[in-house]
Amino acid sequence: MSAVPIATNVQESRAPSPVLSTTIIPPCTAAVASYGPNGAAKTPEEIAAACHTPTTTAALVLKDGTILQGHSFGAEIKSISGECVFQTGMVGYPESLTDPSYRGQILVLTYPLIGNYGVPSHDELDPLLKDLPAYFESNQIHVAGLVVGQASAEFSHHLASSSLGDWLKREGIPALYGVDTRAITKRIREEGVMLGKLLFPAAVVGSSDPQAAVDDAETTALLPDYQNVAWVDPNATNLVAEVSCKEPKLYTPAPETAIKRPDGRTVRIVAVDIGMKYNQIRCFVKRGVELLVVPWDYDFLSLADEMDGLFLSNGPGDPTTITATIDRVRAALALKKFPIFGICLGHQVFALASGAETEKMKYGNRGQNIPCTDMLTSRCYITSQNHGYAVKANTLPANVKELFVNANDGSNEGIYHTELPYFSVQFHPESNPGPRDTEVLFDIFLNTVKRCLESGKIEGPVEFPGTEAAKARREQREQWEHELASDDSDKSGRIVDGRRIRKVLVLGSGGLSIGQAGEFDYSGSQAIKALKEEGIYTVLINPNIATIQTSKGLADKCYFLPVTPECVRKVILHERPDGIYCTFGGQTALNIGVKLREEFAGLNVQVLGTPIETIMVTEDRELFATAMSEINEKCAKSHAANSIEEAIVAANDIGYPLIIRAAYALGGLGSGFASNEEELVALCRKAFAASPQVLVERSMKGWKEI
């Protein structure tokens, strides 16, 4: 396992910054999209309709003295105070705003445009959970306030029933737009999360609280016409008591999906609601178990003989404030009667009950694209997160080990017991709207529950898929190191499949037009950087000097030659690389890999990354459709054709309209839509001029993804 970054996202690392003179930053001019459906230009009237008409100028005041003004588009009832945090997700504001973990916080969304897909109906109920809303994570908005760069009054989505602004007004939540959210985010990253206020003009919401005006005299002096309020630190209170359910409630699965115990009773999990998101309930019930949700201070140990597993949910605030929950979980660990799984705040509670400590992070982790490394398999997962506290890994007891580590800041993201079926994660595997890469953890937990029920014993750690395979890979690498040690004095590079790789040839993206296919240039340049970090000598073939890949000092050697079989073969014979990458140069490099696949062994060069056979399956339209069918992935009806005549037969079988896809084609050359036979023949003539095969497929143009 390679070393992880040293954690910097912790409160202890915070360095004092110089005191700045206070400046009131006025609202930004928020840009509005000037195009409409299908790219048509909007009229000035349509542009105006898409904007919120600024009526009230409010102010975001941070505890360090920063003041930024913005336009109000939410409720204008009163000024509020809370903890100011930022979140980097691009989508999912209905889910985020209703996440109980944000209780008492002023949420700053870094994505520049918010509100463009509106808000779903709160009246539409979940078909699985019956009496809970289908598209939200709780029954109310939990943030204290919302701050965005640009808010769209115009929205378009098949589920939307209202605008974001109207929803916030109905819920009584203040919100600002026209604020420089990048400046706020930078400030929080430098200084750490801090208390904030959203202040409104006294003429709109009433005069200031007299005590607040005295206690925060500086803000009162700078904003005399605004209603001032006292600073409120939500973490100083028991936020869990505010968001937890008040009475136990049982959720049952459909009879046909129910998982049964050996005695015939449906498997039951007790979930301690310390700020539970509705999607966690969905993740359990759709997997066929009963879920009994109980309040945070409920004596769930009294149910020990009736439960088959214990789940600790996510939630807001400082985990050390819920001592009653921690004490009961500590007793449950000692009881050794059922498996335990925790998420987010539940992860911290499990750690505290195990004897570890937690710490306040400098600015926390809140977003949907945060990488975490599995310490058992070395695999990296992209996760959704929302937390301001973390478990201190160096305080874990000997029988509790790290399961996941944050790849950005090195903070702890998961732990597991080495002898008993207990584990927890800091991130959100149930994340809605995503990513859902780690939702499999619910299956792992329930498989553990079933294993314990079948054996009648609560023993042994949780079994994580891939652990044995990863162990075998590590042992194989160690064996290769041992075998090569006797006649291999140069230990540079990396061992791959029994061979030490010291020099690698990277196929670039070829002669691309400026502004096109930048993703290939990016991926190739990142690959070269990663190879150099491993001490591997890199050789690049790329004729395009207007790329990052070909920048001076990036690759160790660069050949400005066409990416053709002849040139690649000559460079291999001259440079004698140990390995070659064909997957960082787009279609051009992929095609070279396919054409030279029979020659690589004779040239003594090893293909790294994606195998050529896999490339062929993904590029050959017929093989790809067959592979999708084998894993039961839904695909549009299609047929591969090697001639115009075959394409016409396929079209008559499928029916128009169609999409024609050319295989092995650069930039989709020869592909397009056909609504009749004449258009089909014209497209096929173009496609067969550049490709030996086309895929005739039912067109999904205009379909909605649901």
Coordinates of all heavy atoms in Angstrom, one line a residue, residues 381-436:
Y381 N -12.4 4.5 -4.5 CA -13.8 4.7 -4.8 C -14.1 6.2 -4.8 O -13.6 7.0 -4.0 CB -14.7 4.0 -3.8 CG -14.7 2.5 -3.8 CD1 -13.7 1.8 -3.0 CD2 -15.6 1.8 -4.5 CE1 -13.7 0.5 -3.0 CE2 -15.5 0.4 -4.6 CZ -14.6 -0.3 -3.8 OH -14.5 -1.6 -3.8
I382 N -15.0 6.7 -5.6 CA -15.5 8.0 -5.6 C -16.8 8.1 -4.7 O -17.7 7.3 -4.9 CB -15.8 8.6 -7.0 CG1 -14.6 8.5 -7.9 CG2 -16.4 10.0 -7.0 CD1 -13.4 9.3 -7.4
T383 N -16.8 8.9 -3.7 CA -17.8 8.9 -2.7 C -18.5 10.3 -2.5 O -17.9 11.3 -2.9 CB -17.2 8.5 -1.4 OG1 -16.3 9.5 -0.9 CG2 -16.5 7.2 -1.5
S384 N -19.6 10.2 -1.9 CA -20.3 11.5 -1.5 C -20.1 11.6 0.0 O -20.2 10.7 0.7 CB -21.8 11.3 -1.8 OG -22.6 12.4 -1.4
Q385 N -19.9 12.9 0.4 CA -19.6 13.1 1.8 C -20.2 14.4 2.3 O -20.5 15.3 1.6 CB -18.1 13.1 2.0 CG -17.3 11.9 1.6 CD -15.9 11.8 2.1 OE1 -15.5 12.5 3.0 NE2 -15.1 10.9 1.5
N386 N -20.4 14.4 3.6 CA -21.0 15.6 4.3 C -20.6 15.5 5.8 O -21.4 14.9 6.5 CB -22.5 15.7 4.1 CG -23.1 16.8 4.9 OD1 -22.4 17.7 5.3 ND2 -24.4 16.8 5.0
H387 N -19.5 15.9 6.2 CA -19.1 15.8 7.6 C -18.1 16.9 8.0 O -17.3 17.3 7.1 CB -18.6 14.4 7.9 CG -17.4 14.0 7.2 ND1 -16.1 14.1 7.7 CD2 -17.2 13.5 6.0 CE1 -15.2 13.7 6.9 NE2 -15.8 13.3 5.8
G388 N -18.1 17.3 9.2 CA -17.1 18.3 9.7 C -16.3 17.7 10.8 O -15.4 18.4 11.3
Y389 N -16.5 16.5 11.2 CA -15.7 15.8 12.2 C -15.2 14.5 11.6 O -15.7 14.0 10.7 CB -16.6 15.5 13.5 CG -16.9 16.7 14.3 CD1 -18.0 17.5 13.9 CD2 -16.2 17.1 15.4 CE1 -18.4 18.6 14.6 CE2 -16.6 18.2 16.1 CZ -17.6 19.0 15.7 OH -18.0 20.1 16.5
A390 N -14.0 14.1 12.2 CA -13.4 12.8 11.7 C -12.9 12.0 12.8 O -12.6 12.5 13.9 CB -12.3 13.2 10.7
V391 N -12.7 10.7 12.6 CA -12.1 9.8 13.6 C -10.6 9.9 13.5 O -10.0 10.0 12.4 CB -12.5 8.4 13.3 CG1 -11.8 7.4 14.2 CG2 -14.1 8.2 13.4
K392 N -10.0 10.0 14.7 CA -8.5 10.1 14.7 C -8.0 8.7 14.7 O -8.1 7.9 15.6 CB -8.1 10.8 16.0 CG -8.5 12.3 16.1 CD -8.2 12.9 17.4 CE -6.7 13.1 17.6 NZ -6.4 13.9 18.8
A393 N -7.4 8.3 13.5 CA -7.0 7.0 13.3 C -5.9 6.5 14.3 O -5.9 5.3 14.6 CB -6.4 6.8 11.8
N394 N -5.1 7.4 14.7 CA -4.0 7.0 15.7 C -4.5 6.7 17.1 O -3.7 6.3 17.9 CB -2.9 8.1 15.7 CG -3.4 9.4 16.2 OD1 -4.6 9.6 16.4 ND2 -2.5 10.4 16.2
T395 N -5.8 6.9 17.3 CA -6.4 6.5 18.6 C -7.2 5.2 18.6 O -7.8 4.9 19.6 CB -7.3 7.7 19.1 OG1 -8.5 7.8 18.3 CG2 -6.5 9.0 19.1
L396 N -7.3 4.6 17.4 CA -8.0 3.3 17.3 C -7.4 2.2 18.2 O -6.2 2.1 18.2 CB -8.1 2.9 15.9 CG -8.9 3.7 14.9 CD1 -8.7 3.2 13.5 CD2 -10.4 3.6 15.2
P397 N -8.2 1.4 18.8 CA -7.7 0.3 19.6 C -7.1 -0.7 18.7 O -7.3 -0.7 17.5 CB -8.9 -0.3 20.4 CG -10.1 0.2 19.5 CD -9.7 1.5 18.9
A398 N -6.3 -1.7 19.3 CA -5.6 -2.6 18.5 C -6.5 -3.5 17.6 O -6.1 -4.0 16.5 CB -4.7 -3.5 19.4
N399 N -7.7 -3.8 18.1 CA -8.6 -4.7 17.3 C -9.5 -4.0 16.4 O -10.4 -4.6 15.8 CB -9.4 -5.6 18.3 CG -10.2 -4.8 19.2 OD1 -10.2 -3.5 19.2 ND2 -11.0 -5.4 20.1
V400 N -9.3 -2.7 16.1 CA -10.0 -2.0 15.1 C -9.0 -1.3 14.2 O -8.1 -0.6 14.6 CB -10.9 -0.9 15.8 CG1 -11.6 -0.1 14.7 CG2 -11.9 -1.5 16.8
K401 N -9.2 -1.6 12.9 CA -8.3 -1.1 11.9 C -9.0 -0.2 10.9 O -10.2 -0.2 10.7 CB -7.7 -2.3 11.1 CG -7.0 -3.4 11.9 CD -5.7 -2.8 12.6 CE -5.0 -3.9 13.3 NZ -3.8 -3.4 14.0
E402 N -8.1 0.6 10.2 CA -8.7 1.5 9.1 C -9.2 0.6 7.9 O -8.5 -0.2 7.5 CB -7.6 2.5 8.7 CG -7.4 3.6 9.6 CD -6.7 4.8 9.0 OE1 -5.5 4.6 8.8 OE2 -7.3 5.8 8.7
L403 N -10.3 1.0 7.4 CA -10.9 0.3 6.3 C -10.8 1.2 5.0 O -10.5 0.7 3.9 CB -12.4 0.0 6.5 CG -13.2 -0.7 5.4 CD1 -12.5 -2.0 5.0 CD2 -14.6 -1.0 5.8
F404 N -11.1 2.5 5.2 CA -10.9 3.5 4.1 C -10.2 4.7 4.6 O -10.3 5.1 5.7 CB -12.3 3.9 3.6 CG -13.1 2.8 2.8 CD1 -14.0 2.1 3.5 CD2 -12.9 2.6 1.5 CE1 -14.7 1.1 2.8 CE2 -13.6 1.7 0.8 CZ -14.5 0.9 1.5
V405 N -9.4 5.3 3.6 CA -8.7 6.5 3.9 C -9.0 7.5 2.8 O -9.0 7.2 1.6 CB -7.2 6.2 4.0 CG1 -6.4 7.6 4.0 CG2 -6.9 5.4 5.3
N406 N -9.2 8.8 3.2 CA -9.4 9.8 2.2 C -8.2 10.0 1.3 O -7.1 10.3 1.9 CB -9.8 11.1 2.9 CG -10.3 12.2 1.9 OD1 -9.6 12.6 1.1 ND2 -11.5 12.6 2.1
A407 N -8.3 9.9 0.0 CA -7.1 10.0 -0.9 C -6.7 11.5 -1.0 O -5.6 11.7 -1.5 CB -7.4 9.4 -2.2
N408 N -7.5 12.4 -0.6 CA -7.1 13.8 -0.7 C -6.3 14.3 0.5 O -5.3 14.9 0.4 CB -8.3 14.7 -0.9 CG -8.9 14.6 -2.3 OD1 -8.3 14.2 -3.3 ND2 -10.2 15.0 -2.4
D409 N -6.9 14.1 1.7 CA -6.3 14.7 2.9 C -5.8 13.7 3.9 O -5.3 14.0 4.9 CB -7.2 15.7 3.5 CG -8.5 15.0 4.0 OD1 -8.6 13.8 4.2 OD2 -9.5 15.7 4.2
G410 N -5.9 12.4 3.6 CA -5.4 11.3 4.5 C -6.3 11.1 5.7 O -5.9 10.3 6.6
S411 N -7.4 11.7 5.8 CA -8.3 11.5 7.0 C -9.0 10.1 6.9 O -9.1 9.5 5.9 CB -9.3 12.6 7.1 OG -10.1 12.7 6.0
N412 N -9.4 9.7 8.1 CA -10.0 8.4 8.2 C -11.4 8.4 7.5 O -12.2 9.3 7.7 CB -10.1 7.9 9.6 CG -10.9 6.6 9.7 OD1 -12.0 6.6 10.0 ND2 -10.2 5.5 9.5
E413 N -11.7 7.3 6.8 CA -13.0 7.2 6.1 C -13.7 5.9 6.4 O -14.8 5.6 5.9 CB -12.9 7.4 4.6 CG -12.4 8.7 4.1 CD -13.5 9.8 4.1 OE1 -14.6 9.4 4.5 OE2 -13.2 11.0 3.9
G414 N -13.2 5.1 7.3 CA -13.8 3.8 7.6 C -13.0 2.9 8.5 O -11.8 3.0 8.5
I415 N -13.6 2.1 9.3 CA -12.9 1.2 10.2 C -13.7 -0.1 10.3 O -14.9 -0.2 9.9 CB -12.8 1.8 11.6 CG1 -14.2 2.1 12.2 CG2 -11.9 3.0 11.6 CD1 -14.2 2.7 13.6
Y416 N -13.0 -1.2 10.7 CA -13.6 -2.5 10.9 C -12.9 -3.2 12.1 O -11.8 -2.9 12.4 CB -13.5 -3.3 9.6 CG -12.1 -3.8 9.3 CD1 -11.7 -5.1 9.7 CD2 -11.1 -3.0 8.7 CE1 -10.4 -5.6 9.4 CE2 -9.9 -3.4 8.5 CZ -9.5 -4.7 8.8 OH -8.2 -5.2 8.5
H417 N -13.7 -4.0 12.7 CA -13.2 -4.8 13.9 C -12.6 -6.1 13.3 O -13.1 -6.7 12.4 CB -14.4 -5.2 14.8 CG -14.0 -5.6 16.2 ND1 -13.3 -6.8 16.4 CD2 -14.1 -5.0 17.4 CE1 -13.1 -6.9 17.7 NE2 -13.5 -5.8 18.3
T418 N -11.4 -6.4 13.8 CA -10.6 -7.5 13.2 C -11.1 -8.9 13.7 O -10.8 -9.9 13.1 CB -9.1 -7.4 13.6 OG1 -9.0 -7.4 15.0 CG2 -8.5 -6.1 13.0
E419 N -12.0 -8.9 14.7 CA -12.4 -10.2 15.3 C -14.0 -10.4 15.3 O -14.4 -11.5 15.4 CB -11.9 -10.3 16.7 CG -10.4 -10.3 16.9 CD -10.0 -10.0 18.3 OE1 -10.9 -10.0 19.2 OE2 -8.8 -9.9 18.5
L420 N -14.7 -9.3 15.1 CA -16.2 -9.3 15.2 C -16.8 -8.6 14.0 O -16.1 -7.8 13.4 CB -16.6 -8.7 16.5 CG -16.2 -9.5 17.8 CD1 -16.5 -8.6 19.0 CD2 -17.0 -10.8 17.9
P421 N -18.0 -8.9 13.7 CA -18.7 -8.4 12.4 C -19.2 -6.9 12.6 O -20.4 -6.7 12.5 CB -19.8 -9.3 12.2 CG -20.2 -9.9 13.5 CD -18.9 -9.9 14.3
Y422 N -18.3 -6.0 12.9 CA -18.6 -4.6 13.1 C -17.8 -3.8 12.1 O -16.5 -4.0 12.0 CB -18.2 -4.1 14.5 CG -18.8 -5.0 15.7 CD1 -18.0 -5.1 16.9 CD2 -20.0 -5.6 15.6 CE1 -18.5 -5.8 17.9 CE2 -20.5 -6.4 16.6 CZ -19.7 -6.5 17.8 OH -20.2 -7.2 18.9
F423 N -18.4 -2.8 11.4 CA -17.7 -1.9 10.6 C -18.5 -0.6 10.3 O -19.7 -0.6 10.6 CB -17.3 -2.6 9.2 CG -18.4 -2.7 8.2 CD1 -18.5 -1.9 7.1 CD2 -19.4 -3.6 8.4 CE1 -19.5 -2.0 6.2 CE2 -20.5 -3.7 7.5 CZ -20.5 -2.9 6.4
S424 N -17.8 0.4 9.8 CA -18.5 1.7 9.6 C -17.7 2.5 8.6 O -16.5 2.2 8.4 CB -18.6 2.5 10.9 OG -17.4 2.8 11.4
V425 N -18.4 3.4 7.9 CA -17.7 4.3 6.9 C -18.1 5.7 7.2 O -19.2 6.0 7.6 CB -18.0 3.9 5.5 CG1 -17.4 2.5 5.2 CG2 -19.5 3.8 5.2
Q426 N -17.2 6.6 6.9 CA -17.5 8.1 7.0 C -18.3 8.6 5.9 O -19.1 9.6 6.1 CB -16.2 8.8 7.2 CG -16.3 10.3 7.4 CD -17.0 10.6 8.7 OE1 -16.4 10.5 9.8 NE2 -18.3 11.1 8.7
F427 N -18.1 8.1 4.7 CA -18.8 8.6 3.5 C -20.3 8.1 3.4 O -20.7 7.3 4.3 CB -18.1 8.3 2.2 CG -17.6 6.9 2.1 CD1 -18.5 5.9 1.6 CD2 -16.4 6.5 2.5 CE1 -18.1 4.6 1.5 CE2 -16.0 5.1 2.3 CZ -16.9 4.2 1.8
H428 N -21.0 8.4 2.4 CA -22.4 8.0 2.2 C -22.5 7.0 1.1 O -22.7 7.4 -0.1 CB -23.3 9.2 2.0 CG -23.5 10.1 3.2 ND1 -24.6 9.9 4.0 CD2 -22.7 11.0 3.7 CE1 -24.5 10.8 5.0 NE2 -23.4 11.5 4.8
P429 N -22.6 5.7 1.4 CA -22.8 4.7 0.3 C -24.2 4.7 -0.2 O -24.4 4.2 -1.4 CB -22.5 3.4 1.0 CG -22.7 3.6 2.5 CD -22.3 5.0 2.7
E430 N -25.1 5.3 0.5 CA -26.5 5.4 0.0 C -26.8 6.6 -0.8 O -27.9 6.9 -1.2 CB -27.5 5.3 1.2 CG -27.8 6.7 1.8 CD -26.6 7.4 2.5 OE1 -25.6 6.7 2.8 OE2 -26.7 8.6 2.7
S431 N -25.7 7.4 -1.1 CA -25.8 8.7 -1.6 C -26.9 8.9 -2.7 O -27.0 8.1 -3.6 CB -24.5 9.2 -2.2 OG -24.6 10.4 -2.8
N432 N -27.7 9.9 -2.5 CA -28.7 10.3 -3.5 C -28.5 11.8 -3.8 O -28.6 12.6 -2.8 CB -30.1 10.1 -2.9 CG -31.1 9.7 -4.0 OD1 -30.7 9.4 -5.1 ND2 -32.4 9.5 -3.6
P433 N -28.1 12.2 -5.0 CA -28.3 11.5 -6.3 C -27.1 10.6 -6.7 O -27.1 10.1 -7.8 CB -28.4 12.7 -7.2 CG -27.5 13.7 -6.7 CD -27.7 13.6 -5.2
G434 N -26.1 10.5 -5.9 CA -25.0 9.6 -6.3 C -23.6 10.3 -5.9 O -23.7 11.4 -5.3
P435 N -22.5 9.7 -6.2 CA -22.4 8.4 -6.8 C -22.7 7.2 -5.9 O -22.7 7.4 -4.7 CB -20.9 8.3 -7.1 CG -20.2 9.2 -6.1 CD -21.2 10.3 -5.8
R436 N -23.0 6.1 -6.5 CA -23.5 4.9 -5.8 C -22.5 3.7 -5.9 O -22.8 2.6 -5.7 CB -24.8 4.5 -6.3 CG -25.9 5.6 -6.0 CD -27.3 5.2 -6.6 NE -28.2 6.2 -6.3 CZ -29.5 6.2 -6.8 NH1 -29.9 5.2 -7.5 NH2 -30.3 7.2 -6.5

